[in-house]
Amino acid sequence: MEKEYLSVLLHLCLAVLAGGLIGLERTYHGRPAGFRTHTLVCTASSLLMQLTLYQWEMVAGMPMETVRIDPTRMAQGIMTGIGFLGAGVVLKDGLTVRGLTTAASIWITAAIGIMAGAGFYFATIVATLLTLGTLSVFRRIELMMPALYYSRLEIRFRRHETLAEDELRALITEHGFSVANLSYALKEEGKFFEYSMIIRTSKPEDNRRLAGTLTAHVKVLEFRITPAGD
């Protein structure tokens, strides 16, 4: 019995370590689910898998023909439940979606906890290192790769002082952007005219340049540039 206690302790401590390491990376980058969340997810997954490993002790004395045990069912239940937790950290604000990477890290942390609980120590260690590498090293690779940056641009004018569409497109193009999904709206009982569009550039600093130009433009009453993330 003492050997079993040590085995359970080892499984749970490894899960705490693995989940804590992944959670620290998320906390460092200011994500809503961080150190404690990932640690608890990994530990809970390991704990529940321990239940499946020692469930024979729970059914001791029962007629064996009535007992049906499948350790994989607990893993399936864990991963299904983690889906709800992952969905809770995904936030959508307009065109911007945030939290997908944190949701994925919670999901794989649960999988690592299952491995730790089942006693697959090598897989637990390798998966933890690969996850940390993906979250940290791949971030640097993403920053070095060429990418397109999308933003939502909304500009408001007085109805009778509206900048013509061709002039507005030329102004935006001069700052390195291409325009898509341009729409028009009259606001506040026709007093104001508003353009709304998606703009795209390969240089993130173009947003700052465009904002400076629009701020100085005498006809522009209001504008909003909202970056759209993944």
Side-chain angles (χ1 to χ4, degrees), residues 3-229:
K3 184 178 180 180
E4 291 181 355
Y5 288 160
L6 290 175
S7 176
V8 171
L9 180 62
L10 178 61
H11 287 74
L12 295 179
C13 287
L14 182 59
V16 169
L17 178 61
L21 288 173
I22 297 171
L24 282 174
E25 195 279 338
R26 294 285 84 195
T27 296
Y28 177 75
H29 290 97
R31 297 303 184 259
F35 178 61
R36 290 182 298 172
T37 301
H38 283 76
T39 301
L40 289 174
V41 165
C42 197
T43 305
S45 301
S46 179
L47 183 63
L48 291 172
M49 283 306 295
Q50 287 292 293
L51 177 63
T52 66
L53 294 180
Y54 293 100
Q55 59 189 323
W56 286 109
E57 298 181 8
M58 300 171 55
V59 297
M62 296 179 60
M64 296 307 298
E65 61 272 10
T66 64
V67 178
R68 297 291 184 271
I69 294 179
D70 180 5
T72 63
R73 293 187 65 183
M74 180 63 76
Q76 294 170 1
I78 293 171
M79 300 311 288
T80 300
I82 289 301
F84 293 96
L85 183 60
V89 300
V90 178
L91 305 174
K92 187 175 187 301
D93 181 14
L95 296 176
T96 303
V97 179
R98 303 185 184 278
L100 291 175
T101 301
T102 299
S105 70
I106 290 175
W107 188 62
I108 196 169
T109 299
I112 291 172
I114 292 172
M115 292 295 101
F120 295 109
Y121 300 125
F122 180 74
T124 299
I125 294 171
V126 172
T128 302
L129 294 176
L130 289 175
T131 301
L132 290 172
T134 301
L135 292 174
S136 57
V137 177
F138 281 30
R139 178 189 299 274
R140 296 187 178 92
I141 295 175
E142 280 185 329
L143 293 175
M144 292 186 294
M145 291 177 59
L148 292 175
Y149 299 90
Y150 290 81
S151 299
R152 183 178 186 86
L153 173 62
E154 300 173 17
I155 309 179
R156 175 175 288 195
F157 303 89
R158 288 188 177 85
R159 182 173 182 177
H160 300 294
E161 298 180 3
T162 301
L163 198 65
E165 180 182 336
D166 291 342
E167 295 179 60
L168 180 60
R169 284 182 178 270
L171 174 65
I172 295 172
T173 302
E174 287 174 5
H175 287 76
F177 291 93
S178 59
V179 179
N181 300 330
L182 180 64
S183 60
Y184 320 87
L186 281 176
K187 297 292 186 71
E188 299 184 22
E189 299 180 352
K191 295 179 181 178
F192 303 102
F193 185 85
E194 187 173 287
Y195 291 105
S196 179
M197 69 200 77
I198 304 299
I199 55 178
R200 181 182 66 186
T201 182
S202 58
K203 299 177 182 178
E205 61 269 20
D206 287 344
N207 280 337
R208 183 175 65 252
R209 293 176 51 243
L210 178 61
T213 300
L214 294 176
T215 300
H217 202 290
V218 294
K219 289 187 177 181
V220 176
L221 290 180
E222 299 176 10
F223 74 89
R224 178 190 295 271
I225 302 176
T226 309

